[in-house]
Amino acid sequence: MQFESLGLSKNILRAVAEKGYTKASPIQEKAIPLILEGKDILASAQTGTGKTAGFTLPMLHLLETQESTKKRHKPKALILTPTRELAAQIYDNILEYSKYLDIKSTVIFGGVNQKPQVRALRNGIDILVATPGRLLDLHSQEVFSFSEIEFLVLDEADRMLDMGFLRDINKIMALLPKKRQNLLFSATFSKEIKTLASKFLHNPAMVAVTPENSTVDKIKQHVIRVDKNKKSALLIKLITDDNWQQALVFTRTKHGANRLTKKLIAKGISAAAIHGNKSQGARTKALAGFKDGSIRVMVATDIAARGLDIPLLPHVVNFELPNIPEDYVHRIGRTGRAGADGVAMSLVSSEETAYLRDIEKLLQEKLPYSEIEGFETTEDFSKIQKPQRKPQQGRRPRRNTNRR
């Protein structure tokens, strides 16, 4: 379906056209008309499906048609995200789509000086993009009011629950006006997501897409069996022998990301780590370097699995498999976007066999595997240890350092 057929204003369509978009993605085609009708939405869509435009475009259209936006003071729309990177990306998209509209927006998150954020809020805005921690901090300082919120979006809601934000979300819900339009976007319709949705969505329309450019369909996935202590050397060989110019590598821990980054740099490979212990400035600088090619390898924890928009990323490597199988899908979803081909490679040691089995069960397919000459494994892959799970919702996890 063409964007012109969705009922969006000419000013929004002009901005969309300048981005080079003409045809709506499946999630946009399904969600936009429902949102324009004022319905609450419970939507399931993976990253890379165009879901951000799916909720920002109709929100901008509805705000544009309201007389109240001309008397700007308090925010009318609130978009909650789990990470700073995702918040910044959504804010950038809003700026692009609203360039011909008289609508102001801002983004707030922790890890940076709050003064510019406070100034923007006090000058008056229409759309606020925020992470939960900084949002509650600034509200407690009476910097702004929730009293005129008409639209609420929870983006990556499943990720927010994984990161322990349920308590903060409930606090925010209690502060919002009862009458508002609610949009919840999640990668999955898990039991926890349905429970959360039942608390604040009113007769929601269900929107689920299994996109044509599904992660699993568009990405070449491969497993390399290797001893744990040989992973670093193997990764360095792959990068140098095949002359990779851009690769996103996932580790399970922050310290592991730092260690691997140092090993890559020692071998003359430009690399940077990105995780929750890094300052916002360091993370922004690393991402900019990765995008402009001055950094060949970004080593990341799962904080970067969602929300990073890296066009045409050719390689994603699971240096360590995640212990939650859904996180594997989000990780490799950084490549193969917008219809492009991508390669996802997993370096798997024997102690990760159970994680691999869980991932294959989720994907409903066996992943092809091999060994690399000179790095043949000596480990026993026949013994499967029960993986240790992350804390589930209900048992409150330790507060994530990236919460603000």
Side-chain angles (χ1 to χ4, degrees), residues 9 12-13 95 115 132 134 144 186 225 264 275 310 322 326 353 369 390:
S9 74
I12 293 175
L13 290 174
L95 290 181
K115 289 183 179 178
R134 178 55 65 92
F144 70 98
S186 171
R225 287 181 172 179
L264 293 170
H275 53 66
I310 305 166
E326 288 83 2
T353 306
Y369 70 89
K390 290 180 181 178

Side-chain angles (χ1 to χ4, degrees), residues 162-165 254 276 303 397-404:
D162 288 345
M163 294 174 67
F165 284 133
K254 303 167 187 175
I303 188 175
R398 181 172 61 85
R399 186 60 62 90
N400 191 293
T401 55
N402 183 52
R403 70 183 294 270
R404 296 175 186 170

Side-chain angles (χ1 to χ4, degrees), residues 250-259 275 299-301 320 331:
F250 284 100
T251 61
R252 204 177 298 134
T253 68
K254 303 167 187 175
H255 297 302
N258 290 335
R259 284 194 301 269
H275 53 66
V299 185
T301 55
E320 296 165 319
R331 285 182 178 189

Side-chain angles (χ1 to χ4, degrees), residues 77-118:
L78 172 63
I79 302 172
L80 283 179
T81 75
T83 67
R84 308 164 188 174
E85 284 76 18
L86 181 56
Q89 179 189 317
I90 292 173
Y91 173 62
D92 288 343
N93 288 338
I94 290 172
L95 290 181
E96 291 172 330
Y97 296 139
S98 64
K99 63 190 295 185
Y100 299 115
L101 306 178
D102 182 22
I103 288 177
K104 289 189 177 181
S105 55
T106 195
V107 60
I108 62 173
F109 46 72
V112 296
N113 190 327
Q114 74 171 35
K115 289 183 179 178
Q117 299 175 359
V118 171

Side-chain angles (χ1 to χ4, degrees), residues 220-275:
K220 296 177 182 177
Q221 301 173 74
H222 192 74
V223 171
I224 299 177
R225 287 181 172 179
V226 60
D227 293 351
K228 183 178 180 179
N229 60 3
K230 296 179 182 177
K231 284 189 177 185
S232 299
L234 176 55
L235 177 63
I236 290 167
K237 173 182 171 60
L238 293 170
I239 294 170
T240 54
D241 285 5
D242 295 334
N243 194 28
W244 291 0
Q245 293 304 306
Q246 192 180 48
L248 178 59
V249 179
F250 284 100
T251 61
R252 204 177 298 134
T253 68
K254 303 167 187 175
H255 297 302
N258 290 335
R259 284 194 301 269
L260 180 57
T261 300
K262 289 178 182 178
K263 290 179 181 179
L264 293 170
I265 292 173
K267 292 296 182 179
I269 299 170
S270 57
I274 179 171
H275 53 66

Side-chain angles (χ1 to χ4, degrees), residues 46-48 213-222 248 250 302 304-306 310 313-322 325-337 340-346 359 362-363 365 367:
Q46 301 285 355
T47 55
N213 62 337
S214 169
T215 296
V216 193
D217 294 336
K218 282 290 182 181
I219 298 172
K220 296 177 182 177
Q221 301 173 74
H222 192 74
L248 178 59
F250 284 100
D302 282 306
R306 307 187 192 188
I310 305 166
L313 175 62
H315 298 98
V316 168
V317 178
N318 289 296
F319 187 79
E320 296 165 319
L321 289 180
E326 288 83 2
D327 285 345
Y328 171 86
V329 176
H330 297 307
R331 285 182 178 189
I332 70 172
R334 298 300 90 214
T335 186
R337 294 167 73 90
D341 292 329
V343 175
M345 192 174 295
S346 299
I359 289 166
L362 177 68
L363 299 177
E365 68 172 298
L367 297 179

